[in-house]
């Protein structure tokens, strides 16, 4: 068994429950829509990368801690003839079974998984962090509210930057022109 494919698959599980975005959002951002000064674009690029990698790393650690706590809370339920207390424990057991399935598949697979191979597990990877968020909401509501507002702000900024810096959609050309260019390139222009 190779260790790297299994480790990579498990790290994708943690990444899905974090704000560690795709490299295309982090490193392919040029900020040419913000300024035409090349050194200023470079400054924005490095600041963008530092912020997103720092926030992403912090949220991966939070996801790892939430998954570890989830594992500790469901460990007693793995014995036979133990009744599951409620929906939350059942969901955590479902998430643990998914991680186990990912590990087994990564061990048996002839390829190393990439994010699109495991994207179906994305909603399930959110279960441990959502269970932890419910606990945080009850235990420390003020801190939870501030964290949620901060997370929403990060998502809004990332979406705005990604929308403005997209290679596929640009503010410089209107949509109809882009479609015409694409159709011409593909040889699919309309016969008039």
């Amino acid at each position: 068994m190779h260790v790297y494919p299994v480790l990579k698959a498990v790290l994708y599980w943690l990444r899905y429950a974090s704000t560690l975005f795709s490299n295309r959002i982090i490193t392919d951002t040029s900020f040419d829509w913000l300024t035409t000064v090349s050194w200023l674009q470079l400054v924005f690029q490095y600041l963008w990368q530092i912020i997103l990698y720092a926030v992403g790393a912090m949220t991966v650690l939070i996801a790892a801690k939430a998954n570890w706590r989830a594992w500790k809370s469901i460990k007693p339920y793995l014995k036979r003839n133990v009744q599951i207390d409620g929906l939350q424990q059942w969901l955590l057991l479902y998430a643990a079974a998914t991680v186990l399935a990912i590990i087994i598949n990564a061990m048996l697979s002839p390829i190393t998984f990439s994010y699109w191979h495991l994207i179906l597990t994305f909603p399930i990877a959110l279960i441990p962090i959502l269970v932890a968020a419910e606990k945080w909401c009850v235990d420390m509501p003020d801190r939870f509210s501030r964290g949620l507002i901060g997370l929403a702000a990060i998502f809004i900024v990332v979406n705005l930057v990604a929308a403005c810096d997209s290679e596929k959609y640009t503010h410089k050309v209107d949509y109809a022109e882009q479609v015409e260019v694409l159709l011409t390139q593909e040889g699919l222009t309309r016969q008039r």
Side-chain angles (χ1 to χ4, degrees), residues 23-177:
N23 273 345
R24 292 197 175 175
I25 293 176
I26 298 173
T27 57
D28 291 351
T29 307
S30 63
F31 290 99
D32 61 349
W33 52 273
L34 196 58
T35 182
T36 56
V37 180
S38 61
W39 69 268
L40 199 52
Q41 286 177 350
L42 201 59
V43 168
F44 284 129
Q45 287 171 355
Y46 283 123
L47 282 174
W48 180 249
Q49 290 176 16
I50 289 168
I51 290 168
L52 286 187
Y53 278 127
V55 170
M58 184 177 67
T59 57
V60 165
L61 292 175
I62 291 170
K65 188 173 182 179
N67 275 276
W68 181 252
R69 284 188 178 169
W71 169 250
K72 285 175 38 179
S73 75
I74 64 164
K75 202 171 171 185
Y77 295 101
L78 298 177
K79 298 176 186 169
R80 284 189 173 181
N81 299 327
V82 176
Q83 187 172 351
I84 299 171
D85 288 339
L87 180 64
Q88 200 176 70
Q89 297 303 321
W90 186 90
L91 285 170
L92 291 174
L93 283 165
Y94 185 71
T98 304
V99 171
L100 181 62
I102 288 171
I103 291 170
I104 291 170
N105 280 302
M107 287 189 304
L108 297 175
S109 178
I111 61 167
T112 301
F113 289 144
S114 291
Y115 74 91
W116 62 85
H117 294 114
L118 299 171
I119 198 68
L120 289 174
T121 64
F122 173 69
I124 303 166
L126 294 175
I127 291 172
I129 198 79
L130 291 173
V131 167
E134 184 180 21
K135 184 178 182 324
W136 297 331
C137 183
V138 172
D139 292 349
M140 41 190 169
D142 293 336
R143 224 170 130 188
F144 178 77
S145 296
R146 287 193 306 268
L148 196 58
I149 290 169
L151 186 62
I154 289 168
F155 284 151
I156 289 169
V157 169
V158 166
N159 277 299
L160 287 173
V161 170
C164 291
D165 212 296
S166 174
E167 293 175 2
K168 297 192 186 327
Y169 306 102
T170 176
H171 59 87
K172 298 173 186 169
V173 181
D174 72 6
Y175 181 72
E177 283 182 44

